[in-house]
Amino acid sequence: MIVYKFGGSTVNNAAGIIKLGEIVQSTRENLVIVVSAFGKTTNSLEKVVEHYFNQSEDWYKVLGQLKFFHFEIIKKLFPENNHTIYSEVQGLFDEISARLGDKPGDNFDYEYDQIVLYGELWATKIVNAYLVSAGLPSNWIDIRYCLITDDRYRDANVDWHVSERLIKEAFCFKDNSIYLTQGFIGGTERSLSTTLGREGSDYSAAIIGNILNAEKVIIWKDVPGVLNCDPKYFSNSERLKEISYQEAIELAFFGAKVIHPKTIKPLFNKKIPLWVKSAFEPENSGTLIHSVDRDLEMIPVYVKKTNQMLISILPRDYSFIIGENLGKIFGKFNAYNIKVNLIQNSAISISVCIDNYNPGITPLLDDLGKDFRVLYNENVELITIRHYTDDAIRKMTEGKEILIEQKSRNSVRFVVKGEE
Ligand code: ADP
Ligand code: ASP
Ligand code: MG
């Protein structure tokens, strides 16, 4: 069997869903299809959660836009307006509206997970109904009852043991050849919804691939494969035809948005090949990520993370940043669920680069400020070049104010002042 994953970059309108149908139609093997929310739905649902949590009525407007967006797609895919998908999706909108009508509890992350998951439910219900209407025997599975996690909301950890049993039962391929399910979401043993972290549906595909011993996993994207840079930021991008699992982990960890960083390990553990391919040109070969036992010739690969914050932390008494101080500092980052993108230390200070868009930042800075002097710069970018050359470095840093530079054998990283 193989696992396909389609995300918001490919399923953002009716044409994308029709394309998905063509790809599935031309597949002969048993299939699990993982689908995440359409287009930028999760971003809009994050706004809904924020309004809801602040008890602002504005959630109503954003949810209305989401409803319009989804029903426009439904109308194009199902012109006969008595199809059951209309009432099914309406039912889900009624359910989320009822939830938003109640007062939120104190736990933001919990409320977040119970709301954003609707993006995945709407999308999978619609795509499944479309495949069935196109004559494909697709079976919709609610992954929340088989991908079991702990209750670390917004960044849940998978319970591999329980999930293995439940996923094997649910996706048993006894009488079915196609299953369709949600990426990004899971559920606790008490049936509360959880999410695996933003962009986590690539990871979901890898988890299912691992548990079902897939022959391969294919992530269908709006790009021809893994490129040597994000085409949204740079021109002249080149496709990497083949890379090792290790290279893929490094690129994803450094911020290449094309694959979620957690995707590689479950596949590496079982040596399952991962393909990244274009949903718009499925006949083209894409990028193969697998075990490579020879040196691959690599061109420079550029990863740029914008909207970063550089935080410098200094003990008030000039004590060294070692042992206890380090434990204390990173314990706080973990407690506020803030991921660190780069660390640089000196004897009496430590600088940390993080994504500048997390609700935990203000409470983290307040908390750190109790024990340390904390300085920060909000407008910075983090640039990584793998397999760097002098020319590549010049190209990326020319005219920029460099705040931090770190070089290893294969990578060079710069924290630079962002553009005003
Ligand atoms: P999906 O929603 O389907 O998961 P994403 O938007 O998360 O898709 O990922 C695809 C996007 O990743 C591309 O549109 C591209 O802008 C971006 N991207 C960033 N770095 C790379 C890279 N090195 N190669 C290809 N795409 C990249
Ligand atoms: N829909 C989720 C998000 O936008 C998961 C994903 O796309 O992978 O983060
Ligand atoms: Mg994604």
Side-chain angles (χ1 to χ4, degrees):
M1 57 82 55
I2 58 186
V3 179
Y4 282 173
K5 181 256 160 167
F6 294 86
S9 73
T10 56
V11 284
N12 55 6
N13 53 30
I17 297 162
I18 293 168
K19 195 81 217 174
L20 179 159
E22 287 167 13
I23 293 172
V24 174
Q25 189 98 52
S26 66
T27 304
R28 294 284 151 262
E29 289 94 337
N30 283 344
L31 203 56
V32 173
I33 308 165
V34 175
V35 175
S36 65
F38 291 164
K40 301 275 176 224
T41 296
T42 310
N43 291 358
S44 301
L45 281 167
E46 286 193 337
K47 290 206 186 96
V48 169
V49 181
E50 237 169 81
H51 291 313
Y52 170 59
F53 211 71
N54 298 331
Q55 284 293 280
S56 142
E57 289 289 312
D58 288 348
W59 65 260
Y60 197 77
K61 203 168 94 209
V62 186
L63 194 67
Q65 288 160 352
L66 282 171
K67 188 167 170 185
F68 180 80
F69 170 61
H70 283 82
F71 273 95
E72 283 301 292
I73 293 177
I74 294 177
K75 278 193 235 159
K76 289 209 176 93
L77 295 175
F78 307 91
E80 71 293 8
N81 61 11
N82 57 353
H83 193 286
T84 51
I85 192 66
Y86 283 87
S87 55
E88 241 182 303
V89 174
Q90 179 60 49
L92 290 170
F93 273 97
D94 292 344
E95 208 178 281
I96 186 175
S97 302
R99 172 156 211 121
L100 295 167
D102 288 340
K103 280 221 172 336
D106 300 334
N107 184 342
F108 179 88
D109 292 350
Y110 167 78
E111 300 292 346
Y112 175 105
D113 278 3
Q114 311 315 303
I115 292 167
V116 295
L117 78 120
Y118 280 91
E120 270 58 28
L121 295 185
W122 299 323
T124 51
K125 282 284 181 192
I126 295 169
V127 175
N128 192 66
Y130 173 71
L131 292 181
V132 171
S133 76
L136 291 157
S138 183
N139 292 275
W140 185 87
I141 302 266
D142 193 332
I143 200 72
R144 290 174 294 170
Y145 300 106
C146 8
L147 203 166
I148 304 304
T149 70
D150 64 7
D151 60 1
R152 189 175 166 96
Y153 297 105
R154 293 184 73 196
D155 191 22
N157 297 297
V158 177
D159 181 332
W160 283 87
H161 188 65
V162 182
S163 302
E164 171 158 9
R165 182 171 54 77
L166 295 174
I167 285 179
K168 280 186 168 154
E169 267 168 34
F171 301 83
C172 64
F173 290 104
K174 254 203 204 120
D175 303 311
N176 302 310
S177 57
I178 305 180
Y179 293 96
L180 186 139
T181 196
Q182 307 76 34
F184 176 52
I185 64 175
T188 65
E189 285 202 285
R190 292 170 47 230
S191 298
L192 297 168
S193 302
T194 54
T195 62
L196 306 176
R198 283 303 307 266
E199 303 292 338
S201 57
D202 299 337
Y203 180 40
S204 306
I207 296 166
I208 296 172
N210 171 298
I211 290 178
L212 298 179
N213 295 310
E215 195 185 302
K216 60 183 165 187
V217 172
I218 303 183
I219 298 188
W220 299 93
K221 295 268 173 178
D222 61 346
V223 281
V226 179
L227 308 172
N228 76 325
C229 57
D230 185 343
K232 290 198 177 101
Y233 291 127
F234 304 96
S235 50
N236 303 326
S237 56
E238 284 183 53
R239 176 172 60 95
L240 308 175
K241 294 188 184 70
E242 180 190 15
I243 55 176
S244 64
Y245 290 117
Q246 196 202 334
E247 184 68 29
I249 288 188
E250 299 276 359
L251 289 178
F253 176 78
F254 287 146
K257 192 179 163 268
V258 66
I259 327 172
H260 188 278
K262 285 186 176 171
T263 311
I264 304 299
K265 188 167 176 273
L267 300 178
F268 167 78
N269 285 348
K270 291 206 169 162
K271 302 286 180 282
I272 298 169
L274 170 66
W275 287 88
V276 179
K277 284 171 65 110
S278 163
F280 308 128
E281 293 167 335
E283 57 294 342
N284 291 353
S285 50
T287 299
L288 171 60
I289 300 164
H290 65 154
S291 285
V292 179
D293 52 10
R294 62 195 195 290
D295 279 342
L296 294 175
E297 208 167 300
M298 295 292 298
I299 54 172
V301 182
Y302 305 90
V303 182
K304 173 158 137 168
K305 276 175 89 68
T306 54
N307 201 3
Q308 299 292 293
M309 178 187 264
L310 184 64
I311 307 176
S312 297
I313 303 154
L314 305 91
R316 291 186 193 283
D317 57 0
Y318 288 96
S319 61
F320 290 138
I321 294 265
I322 46 172
E324 202 186 327
N325 274 337
L326 273 181
K328 204 179 216 174
I329 291 169
F330 288 108
K332 290 188 199 289
F333 277 84
N334 187 43
Y336 291 97
N337 204 4
I338 307 266
K339 300 224 160 58
V340 169
N341 297 328
L342 172 137
I343 304 169
Q344 172 110 333
N345 72 323
S346 76
I348 53 162
S349 81
I350 187 157
S351 297
V352 174
C353 196
I354 60 168
D355 295 334
N356 188 12
Y357 43 79
N358 190 315
I361 293 178
T362 310
L364 167 72
L365 294 178
D366 290 346
D367 199 351
L368 282 169
K370 288 181 198 151
D371 299 313
F372 302 95
R373 202 153 76 84
V374 181
L375 309 170
Y376 58 89
N377 191 337
E378 286 197 84
N379 180 25
V380 303
E381 290 176 359
L382 176 57
I383 295 169
T384 305
I385 314 173
R386 292 275 297 161
H387 316 290
Y388 55 87
T389 58
D390 289 346
D391 209 34
I393 293 178
R394 200 169 321 114
K395 198 166 109 190
M396 292 306 290
T397 56
E398 215 155 50
K400 305 240 181 216
E401 186 181 336
I402 297 172
L403 304 174
I404 291 182
E405 174 173 345
Q406 284 183 353
K407 222 177 207 176
S408 67
R409 202 160 55 88
N410 284 322
S411 311
V412 59
R413 311 189 78 195
F414 299 98
V415 178
V416 298
K417 266 254 166 74
E419 273 143 37
E420 294 301 324

